[in-house]
Amino acid sequence: KQLEAAEELRRLALASLAEEIGCKLSREDLKRLASEPQLATDLSLWAYAYELHRRSQFSSQGPAVDRLWKALGAEERAKLDADAIWKARERLAAAIEQAAEGSS
């Protein structure tokens, strides 16, 4: 159940980022992007940061957020900082834009 909840949080964070950068993607495109292995670490990192921000506004998905944290490798967790999060966001935004161009 926590795994499914964490996957949903990843898709929500990705959908929010797509909306933020002005790209319209179908639910299928979002699912495909969320399942791409080369984006897995970036997406877990971005979704974790996205959920931390939501938690600061009193929204909580505690167990699923913990699952996102654990999805990051030990190296990523040890080096977690704002720069790593923004770089992950940039790579995800580029993948979203590429997907949006392909579905037009």
Side-chain angles (χ1 to χ4, degrees):
K1 186 171 180 167
Q2 287 180 6
L3 180 60
E4 291 173 16
E7 289 302 319
E8 183 62 20
L9 292 180
R10 284 182 184 92
R11 285 191 295 272
L12 288 172
L14 197 58
S16 176
L17 179 56
E19 184 178 327
E20 181 183 325
I21 64 173
C23 289
K24 294 187 182 210
L25 294 179
S26 68
R27 187 163 175 84
E28 292 77 28
D29 285 336
L30 288 168
K31 278 184 167 182
R32 183 183 53 74
L33 278 175
S35 66
E36 288 190 14
Q38 68 269 24
L39 297 176
T41 298
D42 286 339
L43 186 50
S44 288
L45 183 57
W46 180 249
Y48 182 73
Y50 179 80
E51 285 303 313
L52 286 179
H53 175 73
R54 282 178 18 106
R55 284 175 124 181
S56 74
Q57 298 173 338
F58 305 105
S59 298
S60 180
Q61 295 287 336
V65 174
D66 183 57
R67 183 76 177 172
L68 291 172
W69 175 252
K70 290 176 180 172
L72 296 171
E75 187 175 329
E76 286 86 11
R77 289 192 305 261
K79 295 188 301 184
L80 184 63
D81 62 13
D83 189 49
I85 292 167
W86 285 111
K87 285 180 180 175
R89 181 195 181 281
E90 289 172 8
R91 289 187 293 268
L92 289 168
I96 289 168
E97 289 170 343
Q98 185 177 18
E101 289 172 5
S103 66
S104 298

